[in-house]
PDB file of all heavy atoms in Angstrom:
ATOM      1  N   SER A 133      15.301  -6.941 -23.989  1.00 95.00           N
ATOM      2  CA  SER A 133      14.131  -6.403 -24.674  1.00 95.00           C
ATOM      3  C   SER A 133      13.310  -5.514 -23.739  1.00 95.00           C
ATOM      4  O   SER A 133      12.828  -4.446 -24.141  1.00 95.00           O
ATOM      5  CB  SER A 133      13.260  -7.549 -25.199  1.00 95.00           C
ATOM      6  OG  SER A 133      12.094  -7.064 -25.829  1.00 95.00           O
ATOM      7  N   GLU A 134      13.162  -5.932 -22.489  1.00 94.00           N
ATOM      8  CA  GLU A 134      12.412  -5.137 -21.513  1.00 94.00           C
ATOM      9  C   GLU A 134      13.155  -3.841 -21.184  1.00 94.00           C
ATOM     10  O   GLU A 134      12.529  -2.786 -21.018  1.00 94.00           O
ATOM     11  CB  GLU A 134      12.168  -5.956 -20.248  1.00 94.00           C
ATOM     12  CG  GLU A 134      11.182  -7.094 -20.445  1.00 94.00           C
ATOM     13  CD  GLU A 134      10.911  -7.856 -19.159  1.00 94.00           C
ATOM     14  OE1 GLU A 134      11.208  -7.317 -18.067  1.00 94.00           O
ATOM     15  OE2 GLU A 134      10.401  -8.983 -19.229  1.00 94.00           O
ATOM     16  N   VAL A 135      14.484  -3.917 -21.074  1.00 93.00           N
ATOM     17  CA  VAL A 135      15.280  -2.709 -20.842  1.00 93.00           C
ATOM     18  C   VAL A 135      15.127  -1.754 -22.024  1.00 93.00           C
ATOM     19  O   VAL A 135      14.990  -0.537 -21.847  1.00 93.00           O
ATOM     20  CB  VAL A 135      16.766  -3.056 -20.626  1.00 93.00           C
ATOM     21  CG1 VAL A 135      17.624  -1.783 -20.569  1.00 93.00           C
ATOM     22  CG2 VAL A 135      16.947  -3.850 -19.335  1.00 93.00           C
ATOM     23  N   PHE A 136      15.134  -2.294 -23.227  1.00 95.00           N
ATOM     24  CA  PHE A 136      14.952  -1.497 -24.439  1.00 95.00           C
ATOM     25  C   PHE A 136      13.617  -0.742 -24.383  1.00 95.00           C
ATOM     26  O   PHE A 136      13.562   0.460 -24.662  1.00 95.00           O
ATOM     27  CB  PHE A 136      14.994  -2.427 -25.654  1.00 95.00           C
ATOM     28  CG  PHE A 136      15.032  -1.729 -26.989  1.00 95.00           C
ATOM     29  CD1 PHE A 136      16.234  -1.564 -27.655  1.00 95.00           C
ATOM     30  CD2 PHE A 136      13.872  -1.265 -27.587  1.00 95.00           C
ATOM     31  CE1 PHE A 136      16.282  -0.941 -28.899  1.00 95.00           C
ATOM     32  CE2 PHE A 136      13.896  -0.636 -28.815  1.00 95.00           C
ATOM     33  CZ  PHE A 136      15.114  -0.468 -29.476  1.00 95.00           C
ATOM     34  N   ASP A 137      12.561  -1.445 -24.011  1.00 96.00           N
ATOM     35  CA  ASP A 137      11.241  -0.809 -23.925  1.00 96.00           C
ATOM     36  C   ASP A 137      11.221   0.276 -22.858  1.00 96.00           C
ATOM     37  O   ASP A 137      10.598   1.333 -23.043  1.00 96.00           O
ATOM     38  CB  ASP A 137      10.172  -1.864 -23.619  1.00 96.00           C
ATOM     39  CG  ASP A 137       9.940  -2.820 -24.775  1.00 96.00           C
ATOM     40  OD1 ASP A 137      10.274  -2.459 -25.920  1.00 96.00           O
ATOM     41  OD2 ASP A 137       9.429  -3.930 -24.530  1.00 96.00           O
ATOM     42  N   LEU A 138      11.879   0.010 -21.744  1.00 95.00           N
ATOM     43  CA  LEU A 138      11.953   1.009 -20.673  1.00 95.00           C
ATOM     44  C   LEU A 138      12.700   2.248 -21.149  1.00 95.00           C
ATOM     45  O   LEU A 138      12.278   3.385 -20.887  1.00 95.00           O
ATOM     46  CB  LEU A 138      12.648   0.411 -19.449  1.00 95.00           C
ATOM     47  CG  LEU A 138      12.762   1.320 -18.218  1.00 95.00           C
ATOM     48  CD1 LEU A 138      11.376   1.633 -17.663  1.00 95.00           C
ATOM     49  CD2 LEU A 138      13.633   0.665 -17.149  1.00 95.00           C
ATOM     50  N   GLN A 139      13.790   2.044 -21.866  1.00 94.00           N
ATOM     51  CA  GLN A 139      14.544   3.178 -22.405  1.00 94.00           C
ATOM     52  C   GLN A 139      13.696   3.992 -23.378  1.00 94.00           C
ATOM     53  O   GLN A 139      13.782   5.225 -23.397  1.00 94.00           O
ATOM     54  CB  GLN A 139      15.807   2.679 -23.106  1.00 94.00           C
ATOM     55  CG  GLN A 139      16.870   2.162 -22.157  1.00 94.00           C
ATOM     56  CD  GLN A 139      18.090   1.652 -22.900  1.00 94.00           C
ATOM     57  OE1 GLN A 139      17.982   1.172 -24.028  1.00 94.00           O
ATOM     58  NE2 GLN A 139      19.244   1.757 -22.281  1.00 94.00           N
ATOM     59  N   TYR A 140      12.883   3.312 -24.158  1.00 95.00           N
ATOM     60  CA  TYR A 140      12.013   4.030 -25.096  1.00 95.00           C
ATOM     61  C   TYR A 140      11.015   4.902 -24.343  1.00 95.00           C
ATOM     62  O   TYR A 140      10.735   6.030 -24.741  1.00 95.00           O
ATOM     63  CB  TYR A 140      11.277   3.048 -26.007  1.00 95.00           C
ATOM     64  CG  TYR A 140      10.436   3.733 -27.063  1.00 95.00           C
ATOM     65  CD1 TYR A 140      11.034   4.386 -28.135  1.00 95.00           C
ATOM     66  CD2 TYR A 140       9.044   3.738 -26.966  1.00 95.00           C
ATOM     67  CE1 TYR A 140      10.267   5.029 -29.102  1.00 95.00           C
ATOM     68  CE2 TYR A 140       8.269   4.381 -27.928  1.00 95.00           C
ATOM     69  CZ  TYR A 140       8.887   5.020 -28.993  1.00 95.00           C
ATOM     70  OH  TYR A 140       8.124   5.658 -29.936  1.00 95.00           O
ATOM     71  N   ASP A 141      10.505   4.395 -23.237  1.00 96.00           N
ATOM     72  CA  ASP A 141       9.564   5.167 -22.419  1.00 96.00           C
ATOM     73  C   ASP A 141      10.236   6.393 -21.793  1.00 96.00           C
ATOM     74  O   ASP A 141       9.551   7.372 -21.476  1.00 96.00           O
ATOM     75  CB  ASP A 141       8.976   4.292 -21.319  1.00 96.00           C
ATOM     76  CG  ASP A 141       7.957   3.290 -21.840  1.00 96.00           C
ATOM     77  OD1 ASP A 141       7.458   3.486 -22.971  1.00 96.00           O
ATOM     78  OD2 ASP A 141       7.665   2.312 -21.129  1.00 96.00           O
ATOM     79  N   TYR A 142      11.549   6.317 -21.605  1.00 95.00           N
ATOM     80  CA  TYR A 142      12.298   7.422 -20.991  1.00 95.00           C
ATOM     81  C   TYR A 142      13.263   8.064 -21.990  1.00 95.00           C
ATOM     82  O   TYR A 142      14.265   8.650 -21.600  1.00 95.00           O
ATOM     83  CB  TYR A 142      13.073   6.912 -19.766  1.00 95.00           C
ATOM     84  CG  TYR A 142      12.188   6.674 -18.566  1.00 95.00           C
ATOM     85  CD1 TYR A 142      11.426   5.515 -18.455  1.00 95.00           C
ATOM     86  CD2 TYR A 142      12.089   7.617 -17.548  1.00 95.00           C
ATOM     87  CE1 TYR A 142      10.600   5.296 -17.363  1.00 95.00           C
ATOM     88  CE2 TYR A 142      11.280   7.406 -16.446  1.00 95.00           C
ATOM     89  CZ  TYR A 142      10.534   6.248 -16.364  1.00 95.00           C
ATOM     90  OH  TYR A 142       9.703   6.041 -15.276  1.00 95.00           O
ATOM     91  N   ARG A 143      12.948   7.997 -23.262  1.00 93.00           N
ATOM     92  CA  ARG A 143      13.863   8.465 -24.297  1.00 93.00           C
ATOM     93  C   ARG A 143      14.138   9.966 -24.207  1.00 93.00           C
ATOM     94  O   ARG A 143      15.213  10.431 -24.596  1.00 93.00           O
ATOM     95  CB  ARG A 143      13.351   8.105 -25.692  1.00 93.00           C
ATOM     96  CG  ARG A 143      11.990   8.671 -26.061  1.00 93.00           C
ATOM     97  CD  ARG A 143      11.450   8.008 -27.319  1.00 93.00           C
ATOM     98  NE  ARG A 143      10.149   8.517 -27.752  1.00 93.00           N
ATOM     99  CZ  ARG A 143       8.984   8.114 -27.233  1.00 93.00           C
ATOM    100  NH1 ARG A 143       8.965   7.214 -26.265  1.00 93.00           N
ATOM    101  NH2 ARG A 143       7.840   8.594 -27.683  1.00 93.00           N
ATOM    102  N   CYS A 144      13.191  10.726 -23.673  1.00 93.00           N
ATOM    103  CA  CYS A 144      13.408  12.168 -23.562  1.00 93.00           C
ATOM    104  C   CYS A 144      14.593  12.480 -22.658  1.00 93.00           C
ATOM    105  O   CYS A 144      15.352  13.422 -22.912  1.00 93.00           O
ATOM    106  CB  CYS A 144      12.151  12.859 -23.048  1.00 93.00           C
ATOM    107  SG  CYS A 144      11.653  12.384 -21.381  1.00 93.00           S
ATOM    108  N   ALA A 145      14.768  11.693 -21.593  1.00 89.00           N
ATOM    109  CA  ALA A 145      15.886  11.928 -20.674  1.00 89.00           C
ATOM    110  C   ALA A 145      17.215  11.667 -21.370  1.00 89.00           C
ATOM    111  O   ALA A 145      18.183  12.418 -21.184  1.00 89.00           O
ATOM    112  CB  ALA A 145      15.746  11.039 -19.438  1.00 89.00           C
ATOM    113  N   MET A 146      17.271  10.607 -22.186  1.00 85.00           N
ATOM    114  CA  MET A 146      18.501  10.292 -22.908  1.00 85.00           C
ATOM    115  C   MET A 146      18.837  11.401 -23.907  1.00 85.00           C
ATOM    116  O   MET A 146      19.994  11.792 -24.048  1.00 85.00           O
ATOM    117  CB  MET A 146      18.369   8.942 -23.616  1.00 85.00           C
ATOM    118  CG  MET A 146      18.188   7.777 -22.662  1.00 85.00           C
ATOM    119  SD  MET A 146      18.155   6.187 -23.531  1.00 85.00           S
ATOM    120  CE  MET A 146      17.974   5.076 -22.130  1.00 85.00           C
ATOM    121  N   ARG A 147      17.822  11.899 -24.577  1.00 86.00           N
ATOM    122  CA  ARG A 147      18.046  12.981 -25.542  1.00 86.00           C
ATOM    123  C   ARG A 147      18.532  14.245 -24.838  1.00 86.00           C
ATOM    124  O   ARG A 147      19.442  14.933 -25.309  1.00 86.00           O
ATOM    125  CB  ARG A 147      16.753  13.269 -26.301  1.00 86.00           C
ATOM    126  CG  ARG A 147      16.339  12.162 -27.258  1.00 86.00           C
ATOM    127  CD  ARG A 147      14.922  12.386 -27.758  1.00 86.00           C
ATOM    128  NE  ARG A 147      14.509  11.357 -28.712  1.00 86.00           N
ATOM    129  CZ  ARG A 147      13.259  11.175 -29.110  1.00 86.00           C
ATOM    130  NH1 ARG A 147      12.294  11.952 -28.638  1.00 86.00           N
ATOM    131  NH2 ARG A 147      12.962  10.233 -29.973  1.00 86.00           N
ATOM    132  N   PHE A 148      17.938  14.555 -23.696  1.00 86.00           N
ATOM    133  CA  PHE A 148      18.322  15.761 -22.966  1.00 86.00           C
ATOM    134  C   PHE A 148      19.743  15.642 -22.430  1.00 86.00           C
ATOM    135  O   PHE A 148      20.511  16.608 -22.468  1.00 86.00           O
ATOM    136  CB  PHE A 148      17.348  16.008 -21.814  1.00 86.00           C
ATOM    137  CG  PHE A 148      17.565  17.326 -21.128  1.00 86.00           C
ATOM    138  CD1 PHE A 148      17.047  18.493 -21.677  1.00 86.00           C
ATOM    139  CD2 PHE A 148      18.280  17.409 -19.947  1.00 86.00           C
ATOM    140  CE1 PHE A 148      17.242  19.723 -21.062  1.00 86.00           C
ATOM    141  CE2 PHE A 148      18.476  18.620 -19.313  1.00 86.00           C
ATOM    142  CZ  PHE A 148      17.958  19.783 -19.875  1.00 86.00           C
TER     143      PHE A 148
END
Side-chain angles (χ1 to χ4, degrees):
S133 178
E134 290 182 18
V135 172
F136 189 99
D137 291 339
L138 182 65
Q139 288 179 330
Y140 184 72
D141 286 342
Y142 285 80
R143 59 193 181 278
C144 64
M146 296 184 179
R147 290 169 178 167
F148 188 81

